[in-house]
Amino acid sequence: MSQTQRHDWNPETYARFRGLRLRPAMDLLAQVEDLPGGPVVDMGCGAGAVGAVLKHRFAGHSLMGVDSSPAMLEQAEETGAYDALTLTDAVDWHSDSAPALIFSNALCHWLPDHETLFAGWASTLAKGGTLAVQMPRQYEAPSHSALRLIAANMYPDRFDFTGWRAPVSTPEDYQKMLSPLGQVRMWETTYFQTLCAVDEGHPVRHFSQSTAMRPFLAKMSEDEQKGFVASYDGAMARVYPLNPDGSAVLPFRRLFFTLKP
């Protein structure tokens, strides 16, 4: 979840693709081994999609949810999975007790300075604890690169990507960054996601609109947003052609790692 409170997340919009977004979390969780004593922290818990699974898998551990979105935390509380929920930015989070697990699914690409962030989280873990992270690494794919290109062409007064760097680096970079901290297991997976037909626009746009498109739309008026969305729909139709039933396939790359200090 984004840790930006200025434009709060819409849980309903995000939840439309709950299944597609949950599968990477399950793949990450499958690589987490036995834990020592201490709480489990769902960092960027959002609406609590993974809460029940974490609670079941690590029964006997208290489960803490952390997110900066009040709307998301309201829904997380309704799941009944969490023993405690904290409204804070992940970069400002601290714990009074050493966590057995910090589990971060699709959060850290919104956060800066990963070297400091991951080292800081790892330093808080209980002995034998685990840091488990999943991040989208889709930034050079058309679904994401088109956002930058269209925004810079349509509204150059607000969008300048000179010197831009992807917020998620390469696996090789993270391997070098994390290896001094402990035992690292890292992998990437490209999910070939079938997005269902939609009533208007392109399926990829509906998938991106609740996440990657949000920072772009936040800098536009309502009328500007309509023009931007229409241009993006057109670009997606050219790159990700529709199947006969109106669906589209979106290859989506994600990076994973577990770290045991």
Side-chain angles (χ1 to χ4, degrees), residues 34-54:
D34 293 339
L35 298 178
V40 169
V41 179
D42 187 0
M43 189 69 72
C45 64
V50 192
V53 179
L54 289 171

Side-chain angles (χ1 to χ4, degrees), residues 145-209:
S145 61
L147 292 170
R148 302 191 300 273
L149 179 63
I150 295 170
N153 286 339
M154 294 183 70
Y155 308 112
D157 59 317
R158 276 157 283 175
F159 297 96
D160 181 2
F161 295 98
T162 303
W164 176 87
R165 294 181 61 184
V168 177
S169 191
T170 65
E172 292 81 5
D173 287 340
Y174 287 109
Q175 189 75 35
K176 293 177 183 177
M177 178 193 304
L178 299 171
S179 290
L181 302 178
Q183 179 184 351
V184 182
R185 290 190 295 177
M186 186 170 308
W187 68 100
E188 280 192 330
T189 300
T190 298
Y191 295 86
F192 284 78
Q193 304 176 158
T194 298
L195 306 179
C196 296
V198 292
D199 292 335
E200 56 86 23
H202 193 276
V204 171
R205 189 259 291 178
H206 284 258
F207 182 83
S208 301
Q209 194 162 353

